[in-house]
Amino acid sequence: MKKIDGVILAGGQATRMGGADKGLIQLNGRPLYRYVLDVLAPQVHNIAISANRNQALYSESGIHVFSDTLPGFFGPLAGMLSGLESMQNEWVAFVPCDVPFVPADIVERLWQGRDNALAAYIDDGERSHPTIALLHRSLAANLRHYLEQGERKLMLFLEGEGAKRVTYPRPECFINFNTPEDCLRVEQQLRNKS
């Protein structure tokens, strides 16, 4: 496998979290992004966090933090663009900060499943997860143009670039946390299991 960099996407507005920064929401006393960091870091050569606020808090992890290069909140594609433009290796794996149970072999699966495409994303057999993706840095110019045209749909961009859908049939690994209640519910489930 080539050297692949990793980016944790934590730059959203988190409107369903009541505006709270999703990556910093606590699950069992740890911020959500730390779960992703702990799993993603061993899989990649370099890792960084895309965040548009609370950068000092994210920096406490010792990881490089960058913000979107396009002004305004343009969604996950803006974080992906900044990641492609700021990371050093040819390939960049992206995982959002609100998917704490992402598998420990996700980068390898994306790499193997991409075939010869310049992009790949995860599908759990029930739904697609386009923010869990592997992109080649050469896509940065196309992505910038796409965003500057006012487009925002991540899946539309990936399909336009011929991205491969990589099936990883474990939906429980790709649960994302959209509300504080989601965190509380999972904490309760984890307590009940122990």
Side-chain angles (χ1 to χ4, degrees), residues 1-190:
M1 190 164 76
K2 287 190 180 247
K3 285 182 180 175
I4 295 172
D5 289 335
V7 171
I8 299 171
L9 297 170
Q13 289 181 291
T15 51
R16 286 178 288 187
M17 280 284 194
D21 192 327
K22 271 209 248 189
L24 299 174
I25 295 291
Q26 301 278 313
L27 175 66
N28 279 336
R30 294 179 69 217
L32 286 177
Y33 89 92
R34 290 298 308 215
Y35 289 86
V36 179
L37 177 60
D38 290 349
V39 173
L40 187 59
Q43 301 181 60
V44 295
H45 191 254
N46 301 302
I47 192 162
I49 299 170
S50 165
N52 291 313
R53 54 193 174 143
N54 298 314
Q55 292 178 324
L57 289 173
Y58 285 110
S59 293
E60 288 174 7
S61 65
I63 302 302
H64 174 64
V65 180
F66 61 84
S67 57
D68 292 349
T69 53
L70 290 175
F73 284 93
F74 288 110
L77 276 176
M80 289 175 150
L81 173 63
S82 300
L84 292 175
E85 291 177 339
S86 67
M87 300 307 279
Q88 296 174 352
N89 285 304
E90 278 185 82
W91 292 92
V92 183
F94 296 91
V95 177
C97 64
D98 62 349
V99 185
F101 307 130
V102 68
D105 64 344
I106 197 68
V107 175
E108 177 70 28
R109 294 293 282 270
L110 283 163
W111 176 256
Q112 296 300 332
R114 74 178 169 73
D115 202 15
N116 288 317
L118 293 175
Y121 64 92
I122 290 295
D123 186 290
D124 66 19
E126 294 178 8
R127 59 186 281 251
S128 293
H129 301 276
T131 52
I132 302 174
L134 179 68
L135 276 67
H136 193 272
R137 286 186 61 214
S138 65
L139 295 175
N142 289 358
L143 179 48
R144 179 170 280 279
H145 179 73
Y146 183 79
L147 288 168
E148 287 172 347
Q149 297 301 305
E151 298 292 344
R152 300 289 175 269
K153 292 190 168 76
L154 173 51
M155 190 59 90
L156 205 59
F157 174 76
L158 291 174
E159 287 172 349
E161 296 298 333
K164 290 284 184 187
R165 182 174 61 218
V166 178
T167 303
Y168 197 127
R170 290 183 59 201
E172 71 279 5
C173 292
F174 304 106
I175 297 167
N176 69 314
F177 290 67
N178 289 311
T179 66
E181 290 74 28
D182 290 342
C183 292
L184 292 171
R185 190 182 67 252
V186 170
E187 281 181 5
Q188 189 61 52
Q189 289 169 351
L190 292 171

